[in-house]
Amino acid sequence: MRLSFLGPPGAGKGTQAQRLSAARGIPHLSTGEMLRAAIRAQTPLGREVQGFMRAGNLVPDELVIRMLRERLRQDDTRPGFLLDGFPRTVVQAEALETFAPLDRVLYFDLPEPELLDRLADRWSCPKCGRVYNLRSNLPRAPGVCDEDGTALLQRPDDRPEAVRVRLKVYHAETAPVLAYYRARDLVLTVRASGSVEAVYERILGALGKGAPPGRSEEAL
Ligand code: ADP
Ligand code: AMP
């Protein structure tokens, strides 16, 4: 199964991708997480992209396409993969079509006020990327990651100025990707409000139902 989770920042894609990838045994490929790892390691790619990311802008298409294409050459992606945060432009969607066409796209639908609330309280582990929320998804011990005990941090691009840019970029660049896949009848829409558990159940329901030909979009 070749899946992508599409939706605005803060909709819960990473949280749900982590669960679904563990349940289905397919790798969760978050381009945002790969880029943050490159920044942490201060690789040439990391140094090139850090300014774009900090400000909330997209990284240039050719860099992110090359990075993902290389990752998809690894054997663990043979049974399938779950993309989170890619494609984010129509150019990326067209490129993906040439080397790893998708079977399904899950669109996370969440109103903007809820996105802003979730992003304002998001903390994450700089070591493993696991995501928490101070209101809705607390770590077991305050301020540290459940997995590895690392001190949690807020992402620089979750500052209100960067969030504003990211939402604008989402509407200008990524909303057309949804139209691209809708035209190909690949989109399942999942209502992303409610608890992590409730959204996960909706995702399983949407995937289980599959998509009848010519009527693939299910608003759940
Ligand atoms: P995305 O990957 O789409 O940017 P995340 O998965 O990082 O979104 O989630 C954004 C924030 O919202 C995180 O702090 C996460 O813990 C929290 N979150 C995720 N899903 C839910 C949910 N169903 N209800 C409340 N908070 C959630
Ligand atoms: P995310 O972790 O998905 O919220 O992504 C964080 C940031 O990484 C984005 O705001 C972009 O700067 C960059 N990024 C992640 N994926 C892509 C992509 N597919 N295309 C361009 N930039 C990306």
Side-chain angles (χ1 to χ4, degrees):
M1 188 196 302
R2 294 169 159 187
L3 268 178
S4 175
F5 282 0
L6 192 74
K13 303 180 296 295
T15 302
Q16 299 293 339
Q18 214 157 23
R19 286 188 75 155
L20 191 67
S21 121
R24 298 273 162 116
I26 53 173
H28 165 204
L29 307 181
S30 156
T31 44
E33 199 45 51
M34 290 179 211
L35 293 165
R36 283 186 288 277
I39 293 176
R40 285 196 294 276
Q42 283 293 291
T43 64
L45 172 68
R47 284 198 290 271
E48 198 166 349
V49 302
Q50 61 194 359
F52 294 106
M53 286 181 68
R54 173 171 273 276
N57 285 308
L58 294 183
V59 163
D61 285 328
E62 65 275 15
L63 296 180
V64 75
I65 291 168
R66 196 182 325 135
M67 178 185 79
L68 184 73
R69 194 180 181 143
E70 277 166 23
R71 178 64 184 85
L72 289 176
R73 291 208 175 100
Q74 292 178 28
D75 280 349
D76 64 335
T77 64
R78 272 210 203 135
F81 52 78
L82 172 43
L83 300 183
D84 161 14
F86 188 99
R88 261 178 157 98
T89 65
V90 171
V91 169
Q92 292 176 20
E94 284 168 345
L96 187 63
E97 208 56 35
T98 68
F99 57 86
L102 295 172
D103 302 319
R104 280 278 178 277
V105 172
L106 251 81
Y107 166 56
F108 283 57
D109 189 17
L110 193 70
E112 192 158 313
E114 287 184 59
L115 296 173
L116 294 174
D117 281 351
R118 287 187 185 179
L119 291 174
D121 290 321
R122 171 159 70 182
W123 287 71
S124 43
C125 174
K127 189 168 169 202
C128 71
R130 190 160 165 175
V131 177
Y132 300 88
N133 191 285
L134 287 197
R135 272 193 285 183
S136 57
N137 183 15
L138 284 164
R140 281 196 294 270
V144 296
C145 181
D146 293 350
E147 296 290 321
D148 49 40
T150 306
L152 303 178
L153 296 177
Q154 269 191 304
R155 281 169 41 175
D157 60 349
D158 281 344
R159 284 171 301 120
E161 316 86 88
V163 167
R164 271 196 297 278
V165 175
R166 286 161 66 209
L167 287 171
K168 227 161 123 181
V169 167
Y170 172 78
H171 290 297
E173 305 279 347
T174 309
V177 176
L178 185 60
Y180 175 94
Y181 287 117
R182 277 187 168 144
R184 285 157 184 76
D185 227 1
L186 293 180
V187 178
L188 297 163
T189 296
V190 171
R191 195 162 54 80
S193 53
S195 68
V196 171
E197 193 56 43
V199 178
Y200 186 64
E201 289 303 319
R202 284 184 211 127
I203 291 171
L204 294 183
L207 290 174
K209 270 187 199 159
R215 220 190 116 255
S216 67
E217 190 154 352
E218 297 279 343
L220 293 166

